[in-house]
Amino acid sequence: MCVGVVVVVEGLNPNHLKKAKLMFFYTRYPSSNVLKTYFPDVKGHCHADVSSLPATDPVFNRCITSQLIKWFSNFREFYYIQMEKFARQAIVDGVDNVKDISISRDSELFRALNMHYNKANDFQVPDRFLEVAEITLHEFYNAISTAKDTDPSWKKAIYKVICKLDSDLPEEFKTSSCL
């Protein structure tokens, strides 16, 4: 929450959350500028000194940006927990070659991710997401199978790889009528 600031927000609603979850299929690490561009209908007021600006001056404020960034952080946390879980299970199951691990639309891992981000299953998940998910799973498998997970910061190397794999968001996500 904004400290020492008056906040009156039309704010984020369940449709914005759904849109953000669908955007995760393209970008796991959106910048604040991307968020402002793709949520054009979200407006609020966040003025330290209300008399300095008209009360009707809508802004995409720091509070809304923070909430959206938190949502994406939560999405990533779920995603990475699933990846680690499935990588560890593959090792327990005796998979000894990372090339033997793949993700398809029929796989249990894809179903878990799709159910989390696309619960109504009314959105066609892009093929690139499956590619990124498979790369992520391979990164986790390789790290765990080589005991890199004994280092407390072992996941940081994976995050650095995955953050470079974001895709451009489709233009239709820019409209307030998206969803």
Side-chain angles (χ1 to χ4, degrees), residues 43-112:
K43 303 291 183 205
H45 304 280
C46 196
H47 306 302
D49 179 2
V50 179
S51 64
S52 69
L53 290 169
T56 58
D57 182 30
V59 292
F60 191 99
N61 63 53
R62 198 175 33 199
C63 304
I64 291 173
T65 303
S66 294
Q67 182 59 53
L68 285 166
I69 288 170
K70 178 135 181 70
W71 283 355
F72 276 86
S73 177
N74 291 341
F75 302 161
R76 285 190 304 273
E77 181 180 15
F78 178 82
Y79 176 78
Y80 288 129
I81 287 170
Q82 295 304 307
M83 293 298 166
E84 182 177 354
K85 176 178 132 184
F86 277 82
R88 289 189 186 284
Q89 188 59 51
I91 292 166
V92 167
D93 291 345
V95 174
D96 58 1
N97 188 335
V98 73
K99 292 178 183 176
D100 294 335
I101 303 172
S102 64
I103 298 178
S104 70
R105 291 180 188 277
D106 297 325
S107 67
E108 184 181 344
L109 177 53
F110 175 78
R111 284 194 299 272

Side-chain angles (χ1 to χ4, degrees), residues 15-26:
N15 282 335
H16 293 120
L17 177 60
K18 181 178 179 181
K19 180 178 180 177
K21 284 182 174 185
L22 296 179
M23 287 172 62
F24 187 80
F25 287 126
Y26 297 92

